[in-house]
Amino acid sequence: MADAVGSIDTPDAQDEAQETKKARKGGKRGKKGPLKRLALFYRQIIAELRKVVWPTRNELTSYTTVVIFFVAVMIGLVTVIDYGLNHAAKYIFG
């Protein structure tokens, strides 16, 4: 019994052709020396950093304030929980 056209069980002709192609070793990276590859890597890093949208001074100040406030609240919460568990352990275990 034949499967329907486009069935998951039978690969398409394009898939078969791609599977039979031999994978290239090295490619563009294999032809360059280690110093050229390192220089390319750093050029790509600089290109990506130029794409970054950096926050303004006001945004940075507000983000920093929010983070410091959140950390202070979490420190207070952990302190209260620790204090409560400490007293509960002293009460239970004497």
Side-chain angles (χ1 to χ4, degrees):
M1 185 176 200
D3 289 335
V5 175
S7 173
I8 295 174
D9 296 335
T10 58
D12 294 336
Q14 293 174 350
D15 293 340
E16 290 176 3
Q18 289 175 355
E19 289 176 4
T20 58
K21 287 183 181 179
K22 190 174 183 180
R24 289 175 47 188
K25 288 188 178 181
K28 291 182 181 179
R29 280 187 259 156
K31 295 178 183 175
K32 294 182 181 177
L35 291 178
K36 287 189 178 185
R37 285 187 289 166
L38 189 62
L40 175 65
F41 177 69
Y42 283 118
R43 280 195 308 266
Q44 289 174 345
I45 288 174
I46 291 169
E48 289 299 321
L49 285 175
R50 287 186 179 142
K51 296 178 187 178
V52 173
V53 179
W54 298 99
T56 63
R57 185 173 294 273
N58 289 337
E59 290 173 338
L60 189 62
T61 304
S62 65
Y63 296 158
T64 303
T65 305
V66 167
V67 168
I68 290 173
F69 178 74
F70 177 76
V71 168
V73 167
M74 293 307 294
I75 288 172
L77 182 66
V78 169
T79 301
V80 168
I81 292 172
D82 184 48
Y83 183 75
L85 289 175
N86 186 20
H87 280 286
K90 284 183 183 177
Y91 178 75
I92 292 172
F93 298 113

